Amino acid sequence: MPAPQLTVIIPAYNEAKRIVNGLTQTLNYLHSQAYTWELIVVNDGSRDNTAEIVRSALASEPNARLIDYQPNQGKGHAIRTGVLAATGEWVVFLDADMSTPVEEIDKAIDLLQQGYQVVVGSRRHPESQVQRKASAFRQLGTAIFDFVRTTLVGLHQFNDTQCGFKAYQRSAAVPLYQASVINRFMFDVEILFLAQQSGLRMVEMPVRWMDAEGSTVRFLPGLYQMFRDLTRIRWVHRGWGKKT
């Protein structure tokens, strides 16, 4: 069977209460497309019955599969697992809560076809449509994170590195994820840092976004962990651009 044009990856951790809704939206979208596709759901060591629900939902879908493992390793590990298992020419990941609607894939594919190798969904792009804007406390956390991130690893050109929607040319993404070491929420920064050091063509894309209630994705996993992981990115990948 020839490789599909698109791989969609959905990481899941304790998503039993809402994963069916996200899968239904995603499959309805994919079935309406002219291009070929595959869907990979990565169950990142859930402690509920997420895996069983996903298996049931995908049982009649030959182009969809579940990757299931224990214990929980972190979102970065889940995305890495999905990317390295992907076979599509284009690879997109989005959150199980559909905070960014699956239809945003259309815009991402257009940009990939224009020659961009990394498409970064952004909630803070001037053209983004955001519902339920962040609280003052969360905005303060964003400001602290942005300052620490730009100080340690740069990426000044991005308004939002943490949005749970990104798209890649698979040929560009695989080497980045093979080299990555961050398993939790700073993995986005690590991948973009490696992409920048590799000279890849990147673009920030406005998205529709809504802060879904009950999200298991924490915005900031703690100041200590943030600082530790950003420092690790800078140290582990020093000289990356010279090696690639």
Side-chain angles (χ1 to χ4, degrees):
M1 180 180 294
Q5 292 167 285
L6 171 69
T7 298
V8 176
I9 299 166
I10 298 179
Y13 176 65
N14 293 344
E15 294 284 356
K17 293 182 179 180
R18 59 187 179 185
I19 190 69
V20 171
N21 180 58
L23 291 177
T24 299
Q25 292 181 44
T26 301
L27 288 168
N28 286 342
Y29 167 82
L30 291 172
H31 282 302
S32 71
Q33 304 307 309
Y35 50 73
T36 56
W37 55 269
E38 66 177 349
L39 171 64
I40 300 175
V41 181
V42 183
N43 180 44
D44 182 30
S46 295
R47 293 175 292 178
D48 61 10
N49 61 335
T50 295
E52 290 75 12
I53 291 173
V54 172
R55 284 194 186 95
S56 177
L58 302 184
S60 61
E61 296 288 345
N63 298 326
R65 58 192 167 113
L66 169 70
I67 297 177
D68 181 28
Y69 56 78
Q70 292 287 341
N72 172 259
Q73 299 290 321
K75 186 178 180 181
H77 185 276
I79 298 297
R80 183 188 305 121
T81 299
V83 170
L84 297 183
T87 61
E89 175 186 355
W90 311 311
V91 178
V92 175
F93 75 78
L94 67 161
D95 290 334
D97 60 16
M98 299 290 118
S99 291
T100 300
V102 65
E103 291 79 10
E104 297 295 87
I105 290 176
D106 290 345
K107 293 189 298 185
I109 289 177
D110 285 344
L111 290 166
L112 292 173
Q113 290 179 320
Q114 291 174 34
Y116 290 103
Q117 296 162 294
V118 179
V119 178
V120 182
S122 173
R123 298 159 294 186
R124 294 162 65 189
H125 190 284
E127 298 177 17
S128 294
Q129 301 174 33
V130 176
Q131 299 181 42
R132 294 185 188 170
K133 291 187 177 181
S135 65
F137 177 78
R138 200 165 185 180
Q139 291 180 40
L140 175 61
T142 299
I144 294 172
F145 168 74
D146 286 348
F147 174 78
V148 176
R149 185 201 75 214
T150 55
T151 299
L152 292 177
V153 299
L155 301 175
H156 304 79
Q157 69 271 41
F158 294 110
N159 294 303
D160 181 9
T161 59
Q162 304 308 106
C163 179
F165 182 97
K166 292 182 176 66
Y168 311 94
Q169 299 283 357
R170 184 173 66 89
S171 59
V174 167
L176 305 181
Y177 279 91
Q178 287 175 331
S180 65
V181 297
I182 302 298
N183 284 340
R184 299 198 179 272
F185 292 109
M186 292 300 104
F187 84 94
D188 293 281
V189 173
E190 179 182 31
I191 296 301
L192 293 180
F193 177 78
L194 291 173
Q196 178 175 264
Q197 295 299 101
S198 300
L200 299 185
R201 290 193 66 199
M202 300 186 286
V203 63
E204 193 168 43
M205 183 188 89
V207 296
R208 289 177 290 151
W209 188 82
M210 179 174 171
D211 189 7
E213 294 181 1
S215 175
T216 60
V217 179
R218 291 185 299 160
F219 174 75
L220 195 62
L223 290 176
Y224 168 75
Q225 184 176 339
M226 176 190 70
F227 183 82
R228 180 198 65 192
D229 285 351
L230 290 175
T231 302
R232 188 181 181 199
I233 291 167
R234 185 70 184 184
W235 174 255
V236 170
H237 301 302
R238 63 194 186 281
W240 168 264
K242 298 177 182 179
K243 299 175 184 177
T244 58

